[in-house]
Amino acid sequence: MSKGKVLVVGSNATRIEIQGGGTGPTGQYLNETVVPAMALVAAGYEIVLATPDGTKPHIDPVSDAAQHFDGNEAAHKRGRDFFDDHRAMNDARTLRSVIENGIDGYAGVFVPGGQAPVVDLMQDADLGEILRRFHARRKPTAFLCHGPIGSLAALPHAKEYRAALIAGDVSKASELARGWQYAGYKMTVFSASEEKPIEEQVLHGKLYFNMPDALRMAGGDVTTNPVDFSPHVIEDRELITGQNPRSDHPLAAKLVEALNRVTVSA
């Protein structure tokens, strides 16, 4: 018998804007998606996958490698097979349909990273509505790597906020950042120094803004581990954030613990 449903929010983005015009390839990271999802299933939770357009998330090819599974080829294969074959991973629905069918029955929500959420999720009105509802009920809400940037969807003017960040209009962005439900929360996210090799080796260009600054401007109390690509997870109230791909297992453990506390108390 399932302990409850957990919403896994995926991204449909395949390209991300870079300075000077044009775009670079992007997607959702495989390990960041499947490691927590598999942990939730193993802990007895039912997972429901939803994306903005209702299609399966695009996996960044850079992440589809054993190096993101601690160099373990068997673990990589298990993760890939889970994404390819598990029923929930092949039954994606739209975020809007999740809202229309009722979200009060969900015990928690999880948003994985890869740079893709920076493109669509951070300005998605439906995700914003979901996060506001979960916040009001203090339900476990977890974001991994670039995933925490998706929390900005809860801003009253998320699209305009993102546009101001891209335009470098700090004054306008600061004004649009008012009213964020996570202002004052302790959190972490993929750091600017961790982003640098991705920009140089994959995107071949610089992003318009870095993740910590985008969250800090909205009021987030952001800290990152000074040792790049070391696991780092912060839990503050219902919010659980992990800094980078190597934070996948620790974040999954924290999320399961938080869900278990809620389901036991209920």
Side-chain angles (χ1 to χ4, degrees):
M1 183 175 175
S2 170
K3 289 182 180 178
K5 293 190 298 184
V6 178
L7 181 63
V8 177
V9 178
S11 167
N12 298 123
T14 61
R15 309 289 299 183
I16 189 168
E17 306 97 327
I18 55 177
Q19 292 184 26
T23 62
T26 196
Q28 191 167 297
Y29 261 42
L30 178 64
N31 69 300
E32 295 177 22
T33 305
V34 301
V35 168
M38 292 168 73
L40 289 167
V41 171
Y45 291 93
E46 176 189 352
I47 57 172
V48 175
L49 176 64
T51 64
D53 70 13
T55 62
K56 197 168 180 175
H58 171 70
I59 293 297
D60 190 331
V62 172
S63 72
D64 194 359
Q67 73 180 75
H68 293 291
F69 293 82
D70 297 321
N72 187 320
E73 294 284 356
H76 172 222
K77 185 178 186 305
R78 284 194 299 272
R80 184 73 232 190
D81 289 347
F82 181 88
F83 184 79
D84 289 342
D85 302 329
H86 193 277
R87 179 184 57 80
M89 294 288 102
N90 290 287
D91 187 26
R93 56 203 68 183
T94 65
L95 292 168
R96 175 43 47 183
S97 72
V98 169
I99 295 169
E100 292 173 348
N101 291 329
I103 63 174
D104 290 343
Y106 287 87
V109 61
F110 165 61
V111 182
Q115 291 169 324
V118 183
V119 180
D120 56 359
L121 295 186
M122 77 174 287
Q123 57 179 335
D124 189 275
D126 292 330
L127 177 57
E129 182 176 342
I130 290 168
L131 294 177
R132 287 190 293 272
R133 293 274 291 276
F134 273 66
H135 171 71
R137 291 158 179 76
R138 293 294 191 267
K139 292 187 176 184
T141 302
F143 299 90
L144 180 57
C145 195
H146 288 78
I149 212 73
S151 64
L152 293 166
L155 280 169
H157 304 285
K159 286 187 177 181
E160 293 85 349
Y161 181 70
R162 184 178 188 273
L165 290 176
I166 289 176
D169 191 337
V170 174
S171 177
K172 186 174 182 180
S174 298
E175 181 180 340
L176 292 166
R178 294 173 186 166
W180 191 42
Q181 65 194 33
Y182 300 115
Y185 274 64
K186 293 179 173 62
M187 61 184 70
T188 190
V189 70
F190 202 61
S191 70
S193 56
E194 289 171 324
E195 198 84 71
K196 190 173 181 181
I198 309 300
E199 291 175 324
E200 292 175 347
Q201 299 167 28
V202 178
L203 298 177
H204 305 293
K206 285 184 65 64
L207 296 178
Y208 280 97
F209 56 88
N210 70 62
M211 306 308 115
D213 286 351
L215 293 175
R216 287 185 183 120
M217 193 173 298
D221 183 1
V222 182
T223 58
T224 55
N225 193 326
V227 181
D228 285 351
F229 298 104
S230 294
H232 183 50
V233 175
I234 294 177
E235 184 173 6
D236 185 359
R237 289 160 278 185
E238 82 276 13
L239 185 67
I240 304 166
T241 50
Q243 179 174 330
N244 49 39
R246 294 200 64 195
S247 302
D248 53 358
H249 287 283
L251 179 130
K254 286 285 188 185
L255 177 55
V256 169
E257 289 171 9
L259 288 165
N260 286 344
R261 287 196 302 269
V262 171
T263 54
V264 168
S265 63

